[in-house]
Structure formats: C-alpha cells, structure tokens
Amino acid sequence: MSVPTAGLSLAADFPEATRAEWQKLVLGVLRKSGVATEATAADEVEELLATQTYDGPLIRPLYTADDLPAGGVGLPGLAPFVRGGRPQGAGATGWDVRALHAGPDAKLAAEAVLTDLENGVTSLWLRLGPGGLPIDALSTVLGEVYLDLAPVVVDAGAQTQSAAEELFRLAATRGVPGSALAGSLGADPIGLAARSGLPADGPTGLVEAAALAARCVAEFPGVRALVVDAQPYHRAGGSDVEELGASLATGVAYLRALTDAGLSLPEALGQVEFRYAVTADQFSSIAKLRAARRLWSRVAQVCGAEPAERAQRQHAVTSAPMMTRRDPWVNMLRTTLACFGAGGGGADAVTVLPFDTRLGLPDDFSRRIARNTQTLLQEESSLIRVIDPAGGSWFVESATAELAEAAWAWFTEIERAGGIVAALRSGLVAERIAATWATRAEAIAHRRDPLTGVSEFPNLAETLPTRAPAPAEPLAATTGGTPGLPEIHYDADFEALRSWADAHAAAAARPVVFLATLGSAAASTARASFAANLFQAGGFETPTSGSGTDPAVIAAAFAASGAAVACLCSGDKVYAEHAAGVARALRDAGARQVWLAGQPGSRAQADAEAGIDGYVFTGCNAVAVLQASQAEAGVR
C-alpha cells in the first residue's frame, strides 16, 4: 500500500520558528557570555553578531526569505543575468580553463603551452612585451597550437597594437581564416593607465583600441579587442565594491569610444570582456560576479541594448594579493576556494594562478596543480552539473543585491567626477582604495584577517621551493604623469618581519623570544601556545622555561637562551602572585623587553612598575609587537 506524500513537510510536526524566537534565544546566550547586557533588546542581537565588510554592507548572522531582493533575480541566461549568462550554466563542457604564460623563454613557454592544452586547458593567456614573452616569439610559443581550436588571449600593455598585428600575421601565415580565430587582443588603455600612470589616450589609447575593435568586427568576429581588467583596483587593496564600480565606469568609457568610432551598440558590447579577481572568500567572490552581471546588464539596458545583448562576458582570476611567499603550499587551498567561487559565481573563463607565483616562474608541477584544480571542481565535484549552484540562497541573493547597490553608488560617483579617466587622474580612485587598504592592513596586523602559514601557524623550519625569477613589468609613470596604483600583498608586513629575522639568522643566529611559563603546564600552556604562534610569525624561536615560579631559576634559563626579549605566560591567578617578581628577575638578567600574555586589566600599573612593557593577546597589533621585539633583539 502506497502512502501519499504530496503536501507533506518534514517539519510538519514541529511548530514554526520565528525570527523573534531566535533573537530571544540568542540574546540569552550573549548575555551569559558578556557580549550583551540586561539592557540589550532582542532585536539588537543581529547587529551585535553582524560582520562589517570592507564594502559597507554587513554580513548578518541570519537570513530568511524576507531578505530576498524585491522583484526576484531572474532566470539563468536571461536579463539581468544575475544567475549566469547562459541558460545551461557551465554546461557539459564546463567553463573555459584559461592558463597564463608569462615566462620570457619562448621555447620553454611553447612546451608548457602544449602540456596545458593536452591536459585540460581550453584557452591561453599570454603576457607579451616587457615583463613577459617577446612579441616576436609568438610564432615559436604557438608553433604547434591549432589557432582555430584554442582561443588565444594576448596581454601586451602598451604594445597591444604590435601584439595584435603579430597574432593576425601568424594566423594568416598558417591559413587560419579570420572567422575561425578566437580570443582577445587584451586592449585595456584605462587599466594600463590605472597600473602605470600612462595616459589612457597614449599609444594604445581609446582611439587605437576602438580601431582594433572595428577591425575585429569586420575581419575577426570571434576575437574581442578590449578587456576591462579590474585587477589593478583589487591589487591595490581595493574592495569588491571599488573593483566593481571602477570596472563599470571603464566599460562605459569603452562603449562611448567604440560607438563614437562607428560601431553599433551590439557590436560594441560584443567587443568587451571583463576580468575580475576572486579570493578565498568564496561567497564574496560568488556575489561579486553575480552583481557584476546585474550591473552591466543595467548599463546596457540604459544604453538601449536588447535583453539578449546585455550579458557580460567574465574572466575570473584567482587573487594575486592573497598569495603568500611563506608556506606557499597553502596557496593551493586559497586558489581552490577562489576557483570554486568563480565557478559557482558563473564566470565564463577562469585562471588559477600557480601556488608558487610569489616565488618566481611556476614549474611543471605548480602548473599541473593549477589546471587540475579546475578539472577536479568541474568533474569530480560536479560543480558544472548544477546551474547557478548559489541561486536561491537567501544569503547570496541578499549579498549580491547589496553589493550591486553599493557598487552602483561608487560608479555614479566616478561618473560625476568626469568618468574613470578623470577620476584616476584626480586621485579620487587612488584615495578611496588607499583608505580601504589601510583598513584591511590594520585587520591583518591585528590578525582579525588571519593568514595561515604567515600570521598564524608559521613554519620556521620550512624550505621554500626554488624558482627562476619572474620578469617585472616596467610600470613607472611618465615624467609629470599621475602615479599608477600600487600593487600590494596581504602578507607584506609579516613577510618583511620574516625576511629581517631570516637575514639575522643567516648572519648570526635566529632571534629568540623567551617564554617564561609560570606555574604548572595546565596553567601556562594555553597562553604559551598563543605567544609562540605570535612571535614565530615574526621569525623568532620561542624556547620555554618549563614549569615553575622561582624567579632565579627562570632568569637563569632566560640568560642561557641568548634572548633579549621575554614573555610571561600563565593564568591570571598565577600572574597575581608571581608575575612581578619574575619580571624583575628577567630585567636583572638582561631582558631589554618583557611582554605578558593576556589582557592588562586592573594590574597594569603594578605590571609597569615591575618592568612589564606591554601585553600580547587576541586582537593585539601583532605587527607592532613583532616590530618592537625585533628592534630590541637587534634584528634591525
């Protein structure tokens, strides 16, 4: 006998939970933990638990169907394309797996290109000119590549015109018809101006880019001439909102230039591809790509484009600033999360930077891992078998809408300032991004934004892989020009600390912070582990005194360690009885600086009188602590 199931709910036997009930229960927990007081109202708990993003919108602790944007989000493949540019999503073939090649050796690059294409890569991204492959070596690099099968994206900066001509010449020499050539010429004069300070109306400016686009429309319909590369804003430390707003303003500037040059609006829209950075914060990456499509669809709509013409072509690249030099193997995890965000966000093409990018030119192994990361996500994880996997998520849909709204406000501010070129020239963009980077750098310094293997869980015994140095692209501003945006790395401060400590270790010995572990192991272990983790992030060895409270014994162990800096580690009850005596003994034994692991509390004055200089605790400025400790240890 069959049992009818229509209309039944798994939650049918449970009373429906309300938001108010949830808030009341959470408030009880927050009051017990001290986060909330008796005066805190239940409807305030969400604000207490919310996380502030660098973009302004809050990440709230709870989302419901009430948080879905008004008017819905549309369908995959239909305007406003929030849910993807194609109705079938990534489809059976998946997204375009695009590999970057920038090494100066044409022969090695040719071998690497073939290996990539034979093992899952579906298009090539070639950095040409200074800082990359020689343009005249393009025929060598693509010597055995079928140009009618593998799309080629060139990235030549100020030499875009020469690179385009060489690609066209190579195709003609091989008898590849213009209709069969696919890829992009990578013209991005505004992006180049953002990076270098070169004028956008220079040798590869808007006029020249528009001429290339007109030629592509007429002779090479499968080739796009322009790329809106938003990476310079991300690489300068900008937020998702700043990256989106600047890219939107750049896209509008290109549309104006293309239509002024005689292209129709559909032709102009078809000549532009957008390039965005994706990070290990997979949900923000998903929301950013979805918001970008929504925003561009709105721009195209205002310009008068038909709904089918408003889709944005997206190329997602794993973030360069998030990559670290130390413990580079962790970069594999970062890029996997970023790639998941790109695929889940609906990117048309994805580039995973090799894990050893910060160390120099990638080797065969790191390139293999980069392409196999995408294959694993597409095939083994079945990410491409779900159309818009994040679609319908109350959190993602809400985050997408809020991100789009904030980015639109930044875009309109740029437009009011005269457009992206004027905003770059005036410093508006640079000032806004610099403020965001300062906020992010502060969070990294305080380890609120932890960097695994760098600011947290460093490995002092690691041996970094050896790589050939990567050529640097010359991006100095022209005389009298506007300086280009900086290129930052999230690990910059900690990397500098480690480099100073390593240099000191090579010249003399590794610097030491002595951990005075007072009392029993049970009393000291938690804070000793915390302090060791913190000081090792600055390249210090952290020997301990062992259990005990005798000041003379601890001072003798300190003297034997060769340290100049010490840190007391124990529980508050032990500190109350023994911290002052041990601190004085350490000072008498030659300690130039004494820290205490824990919050200062009411004993701060007594601690200072005993010779304790400061405190290390969760949320302290780790960079400042380490810089001060290195200075006292004679590291620099």
Side-chain angles (χ1 to χ4, degrees):
M1 177 179 176
S2 62
V3 178
T5 58
L8 292 181
S9 168
L10 293 176
D13 294 330
F14 296 90
E16 182 178 355
T18 66
R19 195 177 202 123
E21 290 172 336
W22 178 85
Q23 291 173 341
K24 183 178 179 180
L25 291 171
V26 171
L27 178 60
V29 175
L30 295 182
R31 282 174 175 166
K32 290 180 180 179
S33 63
V35 176
T37 67
E38 291 300 322
T40 304
D43 58 3
E44 296 178 37
V45 299
E46 292 190 52
E47 184 178 346
L48 288 175
L49 294 175
T51 301
Q52 180 70 56
T53 67
Y54 296 110
D55 300 310
L58 294 173
I59 298 177
R60 301 186 298 279
L62 178 68
Y63 290 84
T64 69
D66 294 335
D67 296 303
L68 289 174
V73 295
L75 297 171
L78 297 177
F81 299 102
V82 174
R83 305 196 61 190
R86 296 181 293 174
Q88 73 275 24
T93 58
W95 58 78
D96 176 9
V97 179
R98 186 169 295 174
L100 172 63
H101 292 270
D105 189 312
K107 183 178 179 181
L108 291 178
E111 295 173 355
V113 159
L114 284 182
T115 300
D116 275 346
L117 291 174
E118 291 169 353
N119 291 278
V121 165
T122 53
S123 70
L124 302 172
W125 178 15
L126 306 179
R127 186 163 293 151
L128 305 174
L133 292 156
I135 292 177
D136 57 10
L138 196 60
S139 59
T140 301
V141 176
L142 300 176
E144 297 186 48
V145 175
Y146 291 96
L147 297 179
D148 53 344
L149 297 179
V152 175
V153 175
V154 296
D155 184 356
Q159 298 186 19
T160 297
Q161 183 71 44
S162 299
E165 293 296 342
E166 180 63 15
L167 180 62
F168 293 154
R169 185 198 66 77
L170 184 60
T173 300
R174 296 188 184 174
V176 178
S179 59
L181 194 64
S184 171
L185 303 181
D188 185 22
I190 294 176
L192 180 62
R195 299 197 318 271
S196 67
L198 294 171
D201 54 357
T204 56
L206 294 174
V207 174
E208 290 76 9
L212 279 176
R215 185 174 178 187
C216 287
V217 169
E219 303 177 35
F220 307 97
V223 177
R224 290 178 172 84
L226 287 94
V227 170
V228 176
D229 193 349
Q231 289 186 107
Y233 312 104
H234 173 76
R235 293 188 174 197
S239 67
D240 291 340
V241 162
E242 287 149 3
E243 188 180 351
L244 287 172
S247 72
L248 209 62
T250 302
V252 168
Y254 288 163
L255 287 184
R256 291 180 180 133
L258 294 177
T259 52
D260 288 347
L263 273 68
S264 67
L265 181 59
E267 290 172 339
L269 289 167
Q271 281 297 302
V272 181
E273 180 177 77
F274 287 73
R275 184 176 294 147
Y276 293 109
V278 285
T279 70
D281 186 342
Q282 57 190 354
F283 289 111
S284 70
S285 297
I286 289 171
K288 176 165 66 177
L289 296 177
R290 299 170 97 248
R293 290 193 296 271
R294 176 177 178 173
L295 291 166
W296 188 242
S297 177
R298 176 57 178 161
V299 166
Q301 180 185 15
V302 172
C303 292
E306 295 296 323
E309 300 164 351
R310 302 172 192 166
Q312 183 188 67
R313 174 76 181 183
Q314 293 180 336
H315 173 201
V317 184
T318 57
S319 167
M322 75 174 181
M323 304 288 271
T324 63
R325 288 192 74 255
R326 305 289 171 169
D327 209 349
W329 320 104
V330 181
N331 290 330
M332 296 185 196
L333 305 179
R334 297 186 178 102
T335 54
T336 298
L337 286 168
C339 185
F340 181 91
D348 299 289
V350 180
T351 296
V352 171
L353 298 180
F355 73 87
D356 53 358
T357 295
R358 288 287 306 281
L359 300 176
L361 293 174
D363 66 359
D364 292 340
F365 174 71
S366 61
R367 283 193 298 270
R368 179 187 177 205
I369 292 297
R371 61 178 180 262
N372 282 356
T373 297
Q374 303 203 47
T375 301
L376 186 150
L377 288 173
Q378 289 187 349
E379 302 296 339
E380 293 191 36
S381 298
S382 301
L383 187 56
I384 62 175
R385 293 178 175 85
V386 181
I387 299 174
D388 186 23
S393 162
W394 298 327
F395 166 50
V396 171
E397 299 294 6
S398 176
T400 298
E402 291 177 350
L403 194 59
E405 183 177 353
W408 187 265
W410 171 229
F411 158 64
T412 55
E413 183 179 346
I414 293 173
E415 287 295 287
R416 286 194 300 271
I420 185 66
V421 174
L424 285 169
R425 189 179 296 121
S426 70
L428 172 65
V429 174
E431 290 171 6
R432 168 83 176 250
I433 290 177
T436 300
W437 168 236
T439 302
R440 188 190 297 272
E442 185 75 2
I444 293 171
H446 287 260
R447 302 199 297 179
R448 292 191 296 270
D449 286 356
L451 303 175
T452 304
V454 179
S455 67
E456 298 277 11
F457 311 111
N459 178 12
L460 295 186
E462 71 179 334
T463 300
L464 295 177
T466 302
R467 298 290 184 266
E473 183 180 1
L475 290 176
T478 55
T479 303
T482 303
L485 295 174
E487 186 165 330
I488 59 90
H489 295 285
Y490 297 159
D491 67 346
D493 287 338
F494 286 97
E495 171 59 31
L497 290 163
R498 287 285 295 275
S499 294
W500 278 103
D502 287 353
H504 189 273
R510 182 160 293 282
V512 175
V513 170
F514 177 80
L515 303 185
T517 48
L518 310 185
S520 66
S524 65
T525 295
R527 281 175 170 165
S529 298
F530 169 83
N533 188 37
L534 188 153
F535 287 109
Q536 287 170 16
F540 288 96
E541 288 185 353
T542 54
T544 67
S545 62
S547 300
T549 57
D550 187 327
V553 172
I554 294 174
F558 168 80
S561 72
V565 178
C567 180
L568 306 184
C569 303
S570 194
D572 291 342
K573 291 183 179 180
V574 178
Y575 285 154
E577 186 175 354
H578 299 288
V582 172
R584 292 189 183 97
L586 289 170
R587 286 291 191 185
D588 292 342
R592 292 197 289 270
Q593 188 173 55
V594 178
W595 299 96
L596 184 144
Q599 296 278 2
S602 60
R603 63 174 183 271
Q605 183 175 350
D607 287 345
E609 292 173 354
I612 294 172
D613 297 293
Y615 303 86
V616 294
F617 50 88
T618 300
C620 72
N621 190 328
V623 169
V625 167
L626 294 172
Q627 288 173 340
S629 298
Q630 284 195 350
E632 293 297 338
V635 173
R636 52 176 170 172

